[in-house]
Amino acid sequence: MANTVPPPSPASKLCRIIAVVILALIVLFGLAVLITWLIIKPKQLVYRIDSASVHQFNQNNNHLNATFDFIVKAHNPNGKISVYYDSIEVSASYEGQTIAFNTLEPFYQPHRNVTRLDAALVARDVALSEALSRDLKQQRTSGDIGLDVRIKARIRFKVGIIKLKHRTLRISCSPVKVHMSSLKSLETTSCDLDW
Ligand SMILES: *[C@@H]1O[C@H](CO)[C@@H](O)[C@H](O)[C@H]1NC(C)=O
Ligand SMILES: *[C@@H]1O[C@H](CO)[C@@H](O)[C@H](O)[C@H]1NC(C)=O
């Protein structure tokens, strides 16, 4: 009456060995990723607008001339990751319309570094809709205007000697208050990151 289990065929034995090897490789790979992550400890890059001012502001016949100056503070808190900024575009918009734009010089940011970027954005005879022009005039009388500052950067991370592939970083800072008097606004505005 004894139920004897038939001995495993050589083929199923081989299958079992392959399965065990694959499982072991997956576990090892997972451990390697975890250990690398723990050693590198990636931290989010941090951006902030530290000051905002405007010069040569002239609004006439629904057109605008102005130069906006922003100090952007870029903070890389990582101890093992540095950043190549290969291209940087900065734009300022008012109620959804882009009114000023500029590109900044590429730079390399070492690890644990704070770099202040000076962004001068020029609005040259920008056409505004009648409604927008009216809103802007009205807001100016209150002493400051609120702008959305957006930064689009092509960056590469460097970990040790390895350079990773390009990524596009979208940074959005809003609302950035610009005082219409000649005084600099020293209020800071923190920025959101979008990968
Ligand atoms: C802006 O400047 C240009 C010259 O650069 C001038 O032709 C234009 O009239 C100015 N517009 C305003 C609104 O001041
Ligand atoms: C950050 O890096 C830049 C460029 O390498 C350097 O000029 C600056 O002094 C560094 N700042 C700090 C706080 O280390």
Side-chain angles (χ1 to χ4, degrees):
M1 295 299 274
N3 254 336
T4 49
V5 180
S9 68
S12 80
K13 221 179 197 171
L14 188 64
C15 273
R16 211 175 305 162
I17 290 171
I18 290 174
V20 168
V21 167
I22 289 176
L23 201 66
L25 284 178
I26 291 174
V27 169
L28 278 179
F29 180 74
L31 272 177
V33 168
L34 183 68
I35 289 168
T36 310
W37 182 271
L38 287 177
I39 289 173
I40 297 173
K41 281 196 226 115
K43 292 196 192 88
Q44 190 69 273
L45 304 172
V46 185
Y47 301 88
R48 203 172 80 181
I49 305 278
D50 265 1
S51 91
S53 60
V54 62
H55 317 277
Q56 284 131 19
F57 189 98
N58 201 348
Q59 185 185 358
N60 216 338
N61 299 324
N62 302 335
H63 280 72
L64 173 72
N65 281 339
T67 303
F68 299 96
D69 265 310
F70 302 104
I71 303 286
V72 183
K73 184 180 136 187
H75 178 200
N76 175 13
N78 289 289
K80 300 223 163 47
I81 303 174
S82 51
V83 190
Y84 288 93
Y85 288 84
D86 291 324
S87 79
I88 312 163
E89 299 170 1
V90 188
S91 66
S93 59
Y94 180 72
E95 290 183 5
Q97 187 183 336
T98 300
I99 54 172
F101 177 86
N102 208 348
T103 57
L104 304 185
E105 284 294 309
F107 72 102
Y108 167 72
Q109 183 170 41
H111 53 83
R112 287 215 184 87
N113 175 272
V114 175
T115 298
R116 281 192 168 68
L117 306 168
D118 203 341
L121 311 194
V122 181
R124 185 162 297 143
D125 221 22
V126 176
L128 306 173
S129 74
E130 207 144 314
L132 206 65
S133 192
R134 197 172 45 235
D135 283 357
L136 186 57
K137 255 186 200 148
Q138 208 165 34
Q139 229 192 23
R140 270 167 53 201
T141 59
S142 77
D144 52 48
I145 57 175
L147 299 180
D148 297 328
V149 175
R150 289 208 170 78
I151 303 166
K152 193 174 139 194
R154 292 278 288 162
I155 65 165
R156 271 173 307 159
F157 288 118
K158 189 171 160 224
V159 185
I161 54 163
I162 302 165
K163 283 184 201 165
L164 304 183
K165 67 176 174 30
H166 270 111
R167 304 184 64 165
T168 302
L169 184 64
R170 287 169 210 279
I171 304 157
S172 162
C173 321
S174 164
V176 178
K177 276 194 181 172
V178 182
H179 286 303
M180 295 312 296
S181 63
S182 58
L183 286 172
K184 257 187 196 169
S185 160
L186 291 174
E187 275 170 64
T188 61
T189 310
S190 54
C191 305
D192 293 326
L193 269 191
D194 192 9
W195 290 99

